mmCIF file of all heavy atoms in Angstrom:
data_model
loop_
_atom_site.group_PDB
_atom_site.id
_atom_site.type_symbol
_atom_site.label_atom_id
_atom_site.label_comp_id
_atom_site.label_asym_id
_atom_site.label_seq_id
_atom_site.Cartn_x
_atom_site.Cartn_y
_atom_site.Cartn_z
ATOM 1 N N ARG A 111 8.474 0.294 -2.494
ATOM 2 C CA ARG A 111 9.113 1.606 -2.652
ATOM 3 C C ARG A 111 10.290 1.567 -3.724
ATOM 4 O O ARG A 111 11.036 2.442 -3.793
ATOM 5 C CB ARG A 111 9.780 1.934 -1.250
ATOM 6 C CG ARG A 111 8.754 2.405 -0.306
ATOM 7 C CD ARG A 111 9.481 2.953 1.004
ATOM 8 N NE ARG A 111 10.274 2.056 1.686
ATOM 9 C CZ ARG A 111 11.490 2.264 2.202
ATOM 10 N NH1 ARG A 111 12.019 3.394 2.009
ATOM 11 N NH2 ARG A 111 12.009 1.213 2.858
ATOM 12 N N ASN A 403 10.328 -1.903 6.604
ATOM 13 C CA ASN A 403 10.702 -1.558 7.950
ATOM 14 C C ASN A 403 9.608 -2.044 8.986
ATOM 15 O O ASN A 403 8.879 -1.207 9.552
ATOM 16 C CB ASN A 403 10.835 -0.033 8.036
ATOM 17 C CG ASN A 403 11.498 0.456 9.345
ATOM 18 O OD1 ASN A 403 11.964 -0.400 10.141
ATOM 19 N ND2 ASN A 403 11.499 1.760 9.574
ATOM 20 N N ILE A 406 8.423 -0.570 12.527
ATOM 21 C CA ILE A 406 7.518 0.542 12.527
ATOM 22 C C ILE A 406 6.231 0.292 11.770
ATOM 23 O O ILE A 406 5.146 0.792 12.130
ATOM 24 C CB ILE A 406 8.183 1.830 11.916
ATOM 25 C CG1 ILE A 406 9.490 2.085 12.639
ATOM 26 C CG2 ILE A 406 7.213 3.058 12.031
ATOM 27 C CD1 ILE A 406 9.236 2.461 14.086
ATOM 28 N N SER A 407 6.298 -0.394 10.665
ATOM 29 C CA SER A 407 5.005 -0.566 9.890
ATOM 30 C C SER A 407 3.939 -1.543 10.256
ATOM 31 O O SER A 407 2.819 -1.427 9.970
ATOM 32 C CB SER A 407 5.435 -0.820 8.356
ATOM 33 O OG SER A 407 6.112 -2.034 8.256
ATOM 34 N N GLU A 433 15.007 1.152 11.705
ATOM 35 C CA GLU A 433 14.792 0.575 13.067
ATOM 36 C C GLU A 433 14.899 -0.938 12.884
ATOM 37 O O GLU A 433 15.370 -1.616 13.799
ATOM 38 C CB GLU A 433 13.415 0.905 13.563
ATOM 39 C CG GLU A 433 13.320 2.395 13.941
ATOM 40 C CD GLU A 433 13.077 3.402 12.833
ATOM 41 O OE1 GLU A 433 12.975 2.906 11.593
ATOM 42 O OE2 GLU A 433 12.746 4.566 13.011
ATOM 43 N N TYR A 586 5.924 10.297 5.492
ATOM 44 C CA TYR A 586 5.511 9.109 4.610
ATOM 45 C C TYR A 586 5.947 7.880 5.218
ATOM 46 O O TYR A 586 7.031 7.745 5.795
ATOM 47 C CB TYR A 586 6.290 9.346 3.338
ATOM 48 C CG TYR A 586 6.347 8.257 2.460
ATOM 49 C CD1 TYR A 586 5.236 8.084 1.583
ATOM 50 C CD2 TYR A 586 7.431 7.487 2.154
ATOM 51 C CE1 TYR A 586 5.117 7.012 0.666
ATOM 52 C CE2 TYR A 586 7.414 6.388 1.231
ATOM 53 C CZ TYR A 586 6.281 6.214 0.486
ATOM 54 O OH TYR A 586 6.232 5.229 -0.439
ATOM 55 N N HIS A 587 4.942 7.013 5.390
ATOM 56 C CA HIS A 587 5.203 5.621 5.835
ATOM 57 C C HIS A 587 5.920 5.483 7.061
ATOM 58 O O HIS A 587 5.469 6.175 8.027
ATOM 59 C CB HIS A 587 5.842 4.788 4.663
ATOM 60 C CG HIS A 587 5.632 3.325 4.692
ATOM 61 N ND1 HIS A 587 6.649 2.358 5.042
ATOM 62 C CD2 HIS A 587 4.414 2.636 4.638
ATOM 63 C CE1 HIS A 587 6.005 1.214 4.957
ATOM 64 N NE2 HIS A 587 4.761 1.341 4.820
ATOM 65 N N THR A 588 7.072 4.922 7.165
ATOM 66 C CA THR A 588 7.700 4.775 8.552
ATOM 67 C C THR A 588 8.779 5.872 8.636
ATOM 68 O O THR A 588 9.661 5.733 9.486
ATOM 69 C CB THR A 588 8.391 3.466 8.639
ATOM 70 O OG1 THR A 588 9.470 3.291 7.686
ATOM 71 C CG2 THR A 588 7.409 2.305 8.327
ATOM 72 N N ASN A 589 8.658 6.945 7.942
ATOM 73 C CA ASN A 589 9.583 8.051 8.116
ATOM 74 C C ASN A 589 11.058 7.759 7.756
ATOM 75 O O ASN A 589 11.951 8.584 8.087
ATOM 76 C CB ASN A 589 9.529 8.700 9.549
ATOM 77 C CG ASN A 589 8.405 9.763 9.694
ATOM 78 O OD1 ASN A 589 7.736 10.092 8.661
ATOM 79 N ND2 ASN A 589 8.121 10.210 10.910
ATOM 80 N N THR A 590 11.324 6.700 7.064
ATOM 81 C CA THR A 590 12.582 6.336 6.729
ATOM 82 C C THR A 590 13.313 7.436 5.874
ATOM 83 O O THR A 590 14.369 7.780 6.059
ATOM 84 C CB THR A 590 12.709 5.069 5.902
ATOM 85 O OG1 THR A 590 12.007 4.000 6.687
ATOM 86 C CG2 THR A 590 13.993 4.665 5.524
ATOM 87 N N MET A 591 12.435 8.006 4.926
ATOM 88 C CA MET A 591 12.938 9.046 4.037
ATOM 89 C C MET A 591 12.531 10.496 4.489
ATOM 90 O O MET A 591 13.398 11.294 4.682
ATOM 91 C CB MET A 591 12.357 8.755 2.653
ATOM 92 C CG MET A 591 12.890 7.484 1.961
ATOM 93 S SD MET A 591 12.508 7.291 0.248
ATOM 94 C CE MET A 591 10.774 7.164 0.216
ATOM 95 N N THR A 592 11.280 10.707 4.820
ATOM 96 C CA THR A 592 10.738 12.035 5.207
ATOM 97 C C THR A 592 11.471 12.443 6.612
ATOM 98 O O THR A 592 11.621 13.545 6.822
ATOM 99 C CB THR A 592 9.264 12.064 5.397
ATOM 100 O OG1 THR A 592 8.718 10.928 6.073
ATOM 101 C CG2 THR A 592 8.636 12.094 3.856
ATOM 102 N N TRP A 653 0.618 7.278 12.682
ATOM 103 C CA TRP A 653 1.442 6.114 12.954
ATOM 104 C C TRP A 653 2.900 6.237 12.485
ATOM 105 O O TRP A 653 3.632 5.332 12.787
ATOM 106 C CB TRP A 653 0.766 4.869 12.270
ATOM 107 C CG TRP A 653 0.816 4.815 10.813
ATOM 108 C CD1 TRP A 653 -0.159 5.324 9.919
ATOM 109 C CD2 TRP A 653 1.771 4.246 9.939
ATOM 110 N NE1 TRP A 653 0.243 5.145 8.672
ATOM 111 C CE2 TRP A 653 1.394 4.383 8.729
ATOM 112 C CE3 TRP A 653 2.909 3.493 10.254
ATOM 113 C CZ2 TRP A 653 2.145 3.940 7.470
ATOM 114 C CZ3 TRP A 653 3.673 2.975 9.146
ATOM 115 C CH2 TRP A 653 3.291 3.244 7.896
ATOM 116 N N HIS A 654 3.268 7.246 11.690
ATOM 117 C CA HIS A 654 4.517 7.333 11.150
ATOM 118 C C HIS A 654 5.762 7.185 12.100
ATOM 119 O O HIS A 654 6.816 6.719 11.788
ATOM 120 C CB HIS A 654 4.760 8.683 10.436
ATOM 121 C CG HIS A 654 3.699 9.074 9.487
ATOM 122 N ND1 HIS A 654 3.435 8.477 8.239
ATOM 123 C CD2 HIS A 654 2.638 9.945 9.596
ATOM 124 C CE1 HIS A 654 2.470 9.057 7.596
ATOM 125 N NE2 HIS A 654 1.945 9.980 8.380
#
Side-chain angles (χ1 to χ4, degrees):
R111 293 189 292 136
N403 190 11
I406 302 297
S407 62
E433 291 83 354
Y586 174 74
H587 207 241
T588 66
N589 273 353
T590 303
M591 297 189 293
T592 49
W653 68 273
H654 310 286

